[in-house]
Amino acid sequence: MDQNYGVAEKSFDVEKIREDFPILQQEVRPGVRLVYLDSTATSQKPKRVIETLDQYYREMNANVHRGIYQLSEQATEAYEGARKKVRAFINAASWREIVFTRNTTESINLVAATWGRTNLGPDDAILITEMEHHSNIVPWQLLAQQTGVKVVAVPVLPDGLLDMEAFDRLLRTEPIRLLAVTHMSNVLGTINPLRELVDKAHAAGALVLADAAQSVPHLPVDVQALDVDFLVFSGHKMLGPTGIGVLYGKRALLEAMPPYMGGGDMIRRVRLSGSEWNDLPYKFEAGTPSIGDGVALGAAVDYLTAVGMDRIHAYEQQITAYALDRLAEVPGLTVYGPAAQRKGGVAAFSMQGLHPHDIAQLLDAGGIAVRAGHHCAMPLHEKFGVAATARASFYLYNTFAEVDTLIEALNNVVSKFAL
Ligand code: 7TS
């Protein structure tokens, strides 16, 4: 292994971190250790998160915001405590700006259905990009069908970066009211210059929704420094459980938006003649929430904070640079996306003469879990002229040795199929 890559690994005790993740200790088949390279789809969970879920149901389970009895107060305190941890984690100005949802997808649909339906019409346009996940495309298309708003996309350049000239031009020539853009691509790994995009969008009179599903788990994100209007992410990609996600929104915007779903908890007063809405964030949280999952997301935030988001990001940049250099050694293999400095821990690739599904299956024989397919980004794959790619992704618990295992397996594939 090259000396340059080793430095960060030494200051970052990945073996100690791995001890916290029970699933990584297991063998997928007798004698074959799991090499989990699909954290972009969902991350593994540390003991602390699993134990928090377990403890919640053993010792604390009760509905929140309702009971006067002690257990319900405890559950409410734990759930609201998690909200405050999330607030601090992304540096929102107030806990009232943190709305719990199921995931990134629900958060985006919420904004489309409330802010979008109230504020957008046939004379307006929404700017997305060609590198968006389907969950940051389809809700806007649905909104377009309902309101007549136009959806326009910024092209992606062959090197995997956004075409900034086209971005500037579209802001000038289209009536853009909202920029909905991913902070980090789940296929190319591209980290977009979010603050620059926000400043330009604001100057053109547009709001910005950042899809931070891939950035919040992997790098420090400060919503005030970025000046984003909305920011969305999923708990399950940041060491937390499935079933809990976040919508951050600037308070004045959230205050002005109508509710999303109607029901319990989101109201202050209900009369048969009409109802009044609850305060933020409860106005957007109808029904019994995913309480245990929320509490465990708080534990995930604690874990990430204790390791340090800047250290996680630095380590991932090292391991990604190493992986990209090693992947370049494999004959006939193409990696999509920019160089390591501009991307997070994602390497989507194709191999000449082999379908990505076959690659994933052959790797699985060696216990290596990678995803194959369009990764919910069909327009991006179309742009690059491929139907699918194989994708390896890295998180704080992946090792340089696992990258070596991947490369060895890929080289075996090449020799076996005489590619
Ligand atoms: N946005 C981005 C950038 C994503 O990567 C994903 C999930 C989503 C939105 C949707 O998140 P969800 O939690 O609401 O499903 N990305 C992936 C992936 O790359 N492979 O599986 C899920």
Side-chain angles (χ1 to χ4, degrees):
M1 189 197 306
D2 190 301
Q3 197 62 28
N4 290 337
Y5 305 114
V7 178
E9 194 181 20
K10 281 202 194 81
S11 68
F12 189 85
D13 196 348
V14 66
E15 287 307 332
K16 191 152 178 293
I17 285 171
R18 287 175 70 81
E19 286 171 14
D20 294 332
F21 291 80
I23 213 168
L24 300 179
Q25 317 308 324
Q26 74 175 249
E27 296 183 335
V28 284
R29 276 178 287 286
V32 182
R33 272 287 279 276
L34 171 67
V35 176
Y36 187 73
L37 300 179
D38 197 19
S39 297
T40 296
T42 198
S43 71
Q44 297 302 347
K45 323 301 174 195
K47 278 184 277 194
R48 185 169 181 166
V49 168
I50 299 165
E51 286 164 6
T52 300
L53 264 181
D54 183 78
Q55 190 194 11
Y56 171 78
Y57 286 112
R58 281 178 194 279
E59 298 173 11
M60 243 181 273
N61 179 55
N63 214 328
V64 287
H65 310 141
R66 285 165 175 79
I68 311 289
Y69 54 94
Q70 196 185 332
L71 210 53
S72 171
E73 278 172 8
Q74 256 178 318
T76 304
E77 212 169 287
Y79 185 63
E80 292 304 326
R83 194 190 307 276
K84 288 179 178 140
K85 288 175 185 178
V86 171
R87 183 214 66 77
F89 192 60
I90 60 167
N91 194 32
S94 163
W95 59 271
R96 293 194 180 275
E97 297 177 322
I98 305 297
V99 177
F100 280 138
T101 61
R102 274 191 306 139
N103 48 34
T104 303
T105 303
E106 187 173 87
S107 299
I108 297 174
N109 277 276
L110 189 162
V111 175
T114 59
W115 183 85
R117 262 189 245 174
T118 314
N119 291 287
L120 301 177
D123 297 332
D124 303 316
I126 296 169
L127 189 57
I128 60 169
T129 82
E130 285 179 344
M131 68 170 81
E132 299 310 312
H133 186 278
H134 295 165
S135 69
N136 199 24
I137 301 175
V138 184
W140 309 118
Q141 292 176 334
L142 289 171
L143 184 67
Q145 285 174 6
Q146 292 153 358
T147 65
V149 68
K150 190 165 145 190
V151 181
V152 193
V154 182
V156 173
L157 296 169
D159 62 4
L161 300 179
L162 281 184
D163 182 342
M164 292 302 285
E165 273 176 35
F167 173 73
D168 292 342
R169 190 176 57 249
L170 288 166
L171 275 185
R172 272 197 316 273
T173 56
E174 297 283 349
I176 308 294
R177 299 281 311 282
L178 177 73
L179 167 68
V181 62
T182 191
H183 195 181
M184 175 177 147
S185 161
N186 67 321
V187 178
L188 305 169
T190 313
I191 299 172
N192 286 316
L194 189 53
R195 179 65 207 233
E196 181 187 348
L197 299 175
V198 167
D199 286 345
K200 288 178 166 174
H202 283 171
L207 297 184
V208 178
L209 177 144
D211 174 351
Q214 297 300 342
S215 62
V216 164
H218 298 278
L219 43 122
V221 170
D222 179 329
V223 290
Q224 293 188 75
L226 290 166
D227 199 24
V228 285
D229 301 290
F230 301 107
L231 184 124
V232 298
F233 53 99
S234 298
H236 70 95
K237 292 185 199 286
M238 52 186 289
L239 313 184
T242 51
I244 187 88
V246 174
L247 162 65
Y248 157 80
K250 283 184 182 161
R251 191 163 177 173
L253 287 166
L254 294 177
E255 295 279 10
M257 280 152 55
Y260 181 41
M261 290 192 283
D265 237 25
M266 54 74 71
I267 41 74
R268 181 174 302 133
R269 189 188 183 106
V270 177
R271 290 204 187 87
L272 291 177
S273 56
S275 303
E276 285 166 37
W277 316 137
N278 203 344
D279 294 331
L280 293 177
Y282 311 113
K283 179 173 80 174
F284 296 109
E285 296 184 358
T288 299
S290 231
I291 306 163
D293 298 326
V295 175
L297 174 60
V301 166
D302 286 342
Y303 188 93
L304 289 170
T305 306
V307 179
M309 289 310 294
D310 42 0
R311 293 180 69 227
I312 291 172
H313 182 48
Y315 177 69
E316 284 180 23
Q317 290 221 296
Q318 300 284 331
I319 198 171
T320 306
Y322 179 63
L324 293 181
D325 283 355
R326 298 254 22 225
L327 283 165
E329 294 166 10
V330 180
L333 187 147
T334 307
V335 180
Y336 300 90
Q341 314 86 271
R342 295 294 303 266
K343 74 192 247 159
V346 184
F349 59 92
S350 56
M351 290 171 86
Q352 230 166 23
L354 212 59
H355 194 281
H357 286 133
D358 295 330
I359 300 173
Q361 215 154 36
L362 289 161
L363 293 179
D364 179 52
I368 305 169
V370 299
R371 189 173 170 191
H374 52 62
H375 316 298
C376 296
M378 285 171 104
L380 182 67
H381 281 79
E382 202 176 313
K383 177 74 178 221
F384 281 89
V386 286
T389 52
R391 182 186 68 186
S393 53
F394 311 103
Y395 208 179
L396 75 168
Y397 42 63
N398 290 117
T399 64
F400 283 52
E402 287 180 312
V403 174
D404 293 338
T405 306
L406 169 71
I407 301 302
E408 201 179 312
L410 289 170
N411 279 323
N412 285 340
V413 168
V414 172
S415 17
K416 189 165 165 191
F417 291 88
L419 297 171

